């Protein structure tokens, strides 16, 4: 992949990100932040290649630490976001609760 | 099609999952599914990465994944909703650190194999700087949010930061000019780490939502820069999506405070400039203290109540008793809604999560622009642990450090009950004329205790 293609992907994805997020209601700001934070743990896949490649001890050690940190970020991030979102409820969505 | 192509195709599918996931996260009804889509995309990305030919030792990987997943699960399951800002800050930091380590490890590999070109060295330098700043900045934010770090820097810290920023640019240039010497890269990481630390140390309190949003954005950009090092499409796309979303949140927070991100990072904390108004002049003889019984009596005749929560609600863990009070009022036929200022709490949407935990319907949580015009038709406003976001000085005193910040106009209501421990100022360090207003009643005490006392008193009215 040439640098220009990589740059194209980057710029297009930034614009896409802005479009996707710009209308998010304040109620979802915290889950959005922790959910997107989990996605930024994508660096995990880079860490995996380096950690598994057996190049030399230094790089394997660095990459192993990266795998651990990124996995904490990914697993913790998605789990805690799910936990938060499971608490959001609306009576308009569950009409049965309206009469209590 | 060889393995490498298969991996890239898998990454493409994962990228689509991330896009759909973020789209879902932007709407309450689809948010949970959106998060699951994001997680599925991540799982897919991890699985296709496993077929990469470069990976030869699966045990190291399995160990790293297992340890990380274990720690992540424990943190996610055990965290209290009031501590959510800390946890998000910590996860941000881990993401930033992981990006630095990956870029560092790959840079060493490229140097050993003599494969370094300008793109690799430039991207590695960018990742090292952004990732290191994200890591230490987030760790400091974590300790500040836990309130276990009181240090707010020293005189001239901004000058030191400026010097560090220039040094990091010089080191970045050296990484690109002389890539074979990997010391430059690690020196850059070290300088970036100090910079992140010193940049966040002077920031506190109400500016925290802006900082967390910026760090969130930076963690995404660090991942994206790592993608440029590794020539990895998914890292570039996912990282920049997150970078953009953090940017939007930063923008929203800044508008809500009428401050620019630059001002938050580079100006001194507002508490150092207390404005032109003296607290004694504002409060002397004008503050009316109230009791739970009196508040219950006033609520008894109310038909519309707005509850305005602030960070103090989180500190007092008062969200559940607030829900009980809401239930009691609703049973009496009172209309109860919540007015949420965008920067109430310590991270964007902090109050909404707390109230959701207490099973308050999210449709009752009204944004500032929606709730403000309704205060004139409101009988009672109950302010719990909020201060600067309801301070009329923002509109009346152009000298005030919060001048121009949009506020909740609670003083337009018939009666305002302010539940607060004392008359001490909020983060901005200025007195609040609201507390001395004719229609304001102060109910001094712990937020949780005060609200449950009101609820009890209301049952006896």
């Amino acid at each position: 992949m040439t640098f220009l293609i990589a740059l194209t992907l980057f710029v297009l994805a930034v614009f896409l990100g802005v479009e996707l997020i710009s209308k998010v209601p304040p109620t979802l700001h915290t889950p959005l932040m922790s959910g997107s934070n989990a996605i930024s743990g994508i660096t995990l896949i880079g860490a995996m290649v380096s950690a598994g490649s057996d190049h030399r001890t230094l790089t394997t050690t660095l990459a192993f630490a990266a795998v651990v940190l990124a996995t904490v970020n990914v697993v913790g991030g998605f789990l805690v976001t799910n936990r938060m979102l499971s608490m959001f409820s609306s009576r308009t969505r569950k009409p049965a609760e309206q009469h209590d | 099609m060889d393995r490498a192509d298969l991996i890239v195709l898998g990454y493409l599918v994962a990228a689509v999952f991330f896009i759909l996931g973020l789209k879902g996260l932007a709407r309450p009804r689809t948010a949970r599914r959106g998060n699951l889509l994001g997680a599925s995309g991540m799982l897919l990305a991890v699985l296709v990465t496993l077929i990469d030919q470069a990976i030869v030792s699966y045990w190291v990987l399995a160990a790293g994944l297992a340890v990380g997943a274990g720690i992540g699960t424990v943190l996610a399951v055990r965290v209290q909703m009031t501590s959510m800002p800390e946890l998000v800050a910590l996860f941000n930091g881990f993401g930033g650190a992981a990006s630095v380590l990956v870029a560092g490890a790959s840079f060493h590999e490229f140097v050993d194999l003599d494969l370094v070109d300008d793109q690799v060295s430039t991207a590695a330098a960018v990742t090292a700087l952004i990732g290191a700043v994200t890591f230490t900045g987030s760790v400091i934010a974590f300790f500040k949010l836990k309130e276990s770090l009181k240090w707010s820097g020293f005189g001239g810290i901004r000058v030191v930061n400026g010097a560090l920023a220039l040094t990091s640019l010089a080191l970045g240039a050296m990484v690109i000019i002389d890539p074979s010497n990997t010391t430059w890269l690690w020196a850059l990481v070290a300088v970036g780490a100090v910079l992140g630390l010193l940049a966040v140390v002077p920031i506190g309190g109400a500016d925290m939502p802006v900082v967390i949003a910026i760090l969130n954005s930076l963690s995404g950009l660090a991942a994206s820069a790592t993608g440029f090092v590794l020539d990895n499409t998914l890292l570039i796309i996912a990282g920049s999506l997150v970078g953009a979303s953090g940017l939007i949140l930063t923008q929203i927070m800044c508008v809500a405070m009428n401050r620019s991100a630059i001002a938050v990072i580079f100006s001194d904390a507002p508490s150092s400039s207390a404005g032109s108004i003296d607290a004694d002049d504002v409060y002397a003889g004008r503050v009316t203290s109230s009791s739970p019984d009196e508040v219950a009596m006033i609520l008894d005749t109310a038909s519309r109540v707005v509850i305005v929560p602030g960070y103090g609600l989180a500190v007092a863990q008062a969200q559940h008793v607030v829900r009980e009070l809401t239930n009691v009022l609703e049973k009496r036929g009172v209309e109860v809604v919540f007015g949420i200022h965008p920067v109430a709490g310590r991270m964007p949407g902090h109050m909404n999560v707390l109230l959701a935990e207490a099973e308050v319907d999210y449709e009752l949580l009204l944004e500032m622009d929606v709730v403000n015009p309704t205060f004139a038709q409101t009988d009672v406003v109950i302010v719990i642990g909020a201060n600067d976001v309801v301070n009329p000085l923002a509109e009346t005193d152009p000298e005030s450090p919060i001048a121009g910040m949009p506020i909740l106009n609670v003083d337009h209501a018939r009666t305002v009950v302010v539940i607060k421990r004392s008359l001490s100022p909020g983060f901005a360090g200025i007195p609040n004329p609201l507390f001395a207003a004719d229609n304001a009643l102060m109910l001094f005490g712990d937020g949780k205790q005060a609200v449950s006392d009101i609820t009890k008193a209301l049952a006896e009215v």
Side-chain angles (χ1 to χ4, degrees):
Chain A
M1 185 167 54
T2 70
F3 172 71
L4 284 180
I5 293 178
L7 187 67
T8 307
L9 279 181
F10 174 77
V11 174
L12 290 181
V14 168
F15 276 91
L16 180 58
V18 170
E19 284 302 313
L20 285 175
I21 300 306
S22 56
K23 288 183 197 75
V24 62
T27 280
L28 288 174
H29 281 168
T30 296
L32 171 73
M33 196 166 267
S34 71
S36 67
N37 177 237
I39 292 178
S40 76
I42 186 65
T43 199
L44 170 63
I45 60 173
M48 286 170 61
V49 176
S50 280
S53 73
D54 223 5
H55 178 70
R56 64 183 165 110
T57 315
L58 173 71
T59 58
T60 311
T61 313
L62 291 175
F64 175 77
V67 169
V68 174
L69 290 174
T71 311
V72 173
N73 186 1
V74 166
V75 174
F78 282 122
L79 271 182
V80 85
T81 308
N82 188 56
R83 208 183 126 200
M84 268 190 272
L85 289 171
S86 67
M87 299 184 312
F88 279 86
S89 61
S90 164
R91 271 174 282 186
T92 50
R93 191 176 46 179
K94 296 179 211 156
E97 285 178 22
Q98 221 157 14
H99 307 287
D100 65 16
Chain B
M1 190 170 7
D2 62 9
R3 277 197 207 190
D5 289 341
L6 206 62
I7 291 174
V8 174
L9 277 180
Y11 287 171
L12 175 61
V13 177
V16 172
F17 273 69
F18 288 155
I19 291 167
L20 295 175
L22 279 174
K23 190 175 154 71
L25 273 173
R27 281 168 45 206
R29 275 149 209 259
T30 55
R32 204 167 176 195
R33 193 170 13 139
N35 186 55
L36 287 176
L37 277 174
S40 316
M42 188 63 73
L43 183 64
L44 175 70
V46 166
L47 291 178
V48 297
T49 303
L50 288 174
I51 63 170
D52 193 306
Q53 273 160 331
I55 298 179
V56 288
S57 55
Y58 284 90
W59 284 112
V60 179
L61 273 190
L65 289 168
V67 172
I71 298 173
T73 306
V74 170
L75 288 174
V77 171
R78 293 179 60 171
V79 66
Q80 290 201 313
M81 287 302 134
T82 43
S83 309
M84 199 52 74
E86 288 101 294
L87 188 70
V88 172
L90 195 66
F91 285 162
N92 263 332
F94 283 6
S99 289
V100 171
L101 294 170
V102 176
S106 308
F107 191 68
H108 275 278
E109 288 172 25
F110 283 124
V111 169
D112 291 346
L113 304 170
D114 206 15
L115 289 172
V116 181
D117 58 17
D118 282 350
Q119 180 184 334
V120 168
S121 53
T122 310
V126 172
T127 312
L129 180 59
I130 299 180
V133 168
T134 309
F135 173 58
T136 52
S138 300
V139 170
I140 294 297
F142 170 77
F143 285 113
K144 287 222 139 195
L145 289 162
K146 272 178 77 79
E147 310 219 319
S148 53
L149 179 75
K150 301 285 182 202
W151 188 50
S152 59
F154 46 84
I157 194 169
R158 312 286 173 186
V159 181
V160 175
N161 285 342
L164 286 170
L166 289 176
T167 312
S168 64
L169 290 182
L171 286 169
M174 289 314 294
V175 173
I176 299 162
I177 296 167
D178 181 19
S180 56
N181 187 350
T182 48
T183 314
W184 295 119
L185 188 77
W186 294 111
L188 180 56
V189 171
V191 171
V194 179
L195 179 58
L197 189 156
L198 292 183
V200 177
V201 153
I203 307 172
D207 283 345
M208 257 8 225
V210 180
V211 174
I212 298 190
I214 292 174
L215 290 168
N216 184 242
S217 181
L218 287 180
S219 76
L221 292 177
S224 196
T226 310
F228 280 84
V229 178
L230 304 176
D231 242 1
N232 184 313
T233 51
L234 186 56
L235 255 65
I236 294 175
I237 295 171
S240 47
L241 286 173
V242 176
S245 94
L247 215 61
I248 298 265
L249 287 172
T250 308
Q251 170 77 12
I252 294 172
M253 293 300 111
C254 286
V255 169
M257 300 178 68
N258 191 37
R259 302 182 70 188
S260 70
I262 305 288
V264 171
I265 297 174
F266 292 105
S267 74
D268 290 318
S271 48
S272 60
S273 57
S276 53
I277 291 173
D278 186 59
D280 289 338
D281 293 345
V282 174
Y283 297 142
R286 299 199 192 91
V287 174
T288 317
S289 185
S290 183
S291 67
D293 291 327
E294 188 186 1
V295 174
M297 228 109 75
I298 297 167
L299 288 172
D300 186 42
T301 58
S303 58
R304 186 174 201 268
V305 173
V306 178
I307 299 176
V308 174
Y311 182 56
L313 175 93
V315 174
Q317 299 264 12
Q319 66 271 34
H320 297 285
V321 293
V322 166
R323 167 64 179 163
E324 281 163 31
L325 177 62
T326 310
N327 281 354
V328 170
L329 287 171
E330 282 180 339
K331 277 205 184 106
R332 291 168 161 259
V334 182
E335 180 196 2
V336 185
V337 294
F338 292 77
I340 315 281
H341 193 279
V343 293
R346 287 293 180 268
M347 79 179 292
H350 191 189
M351 293 297 117
N352 305 71
V353 168
L354 286 187
L355 292 168
E357 186 201 12
E359 295 178 6
V360 174
D361 182 349
Y362 67 75
E363 311 230 342
L364 296 181
L365 312 183
L366 304 185
E367 295 172 38
M368 180 166 61
D369 297 340
V370 177
V371 78
N372 259 345
T374 69
F375 281 122
Q377 293 90 47
T378 299
D379 299 303
V380 185
V381 172
I382 305 177
V383 178
I384 305 171
N387 190 345
D388 294 333
V389 297
V390 293
N391 192 334
L393 283 182
E395 290 177 342
T396 56
D397 179 14
E399 302 289 305
S400 160
I402 58 168
M405 178 172 107
I407 59 160
L408 291 164
N409 302 114
V410 296
D411 51 331
H412 294 184
R414 197 165 53 126
T415 308
V416 183
V417 177
V418 181
I419 301 175
K420 209 173 171 309
R421 286 183 173 279
S422 67
L423 286 173
S424 64
F427 175 67
I430 51 171
N432 192 337
L434 171 74
F435 303 161
D438 292 340
N439 60 343
L441 295 173
M442 298 299 296
L443 183 53
F444 293 111
D446 172 67
K448 191 172 175 180
Q449 190 62 45
V451 173
S452 51
D453 285 349
I454 294 173
T455 313
K456 257 183 244 148
L458 199 55
E460 289 159 15
V461 174

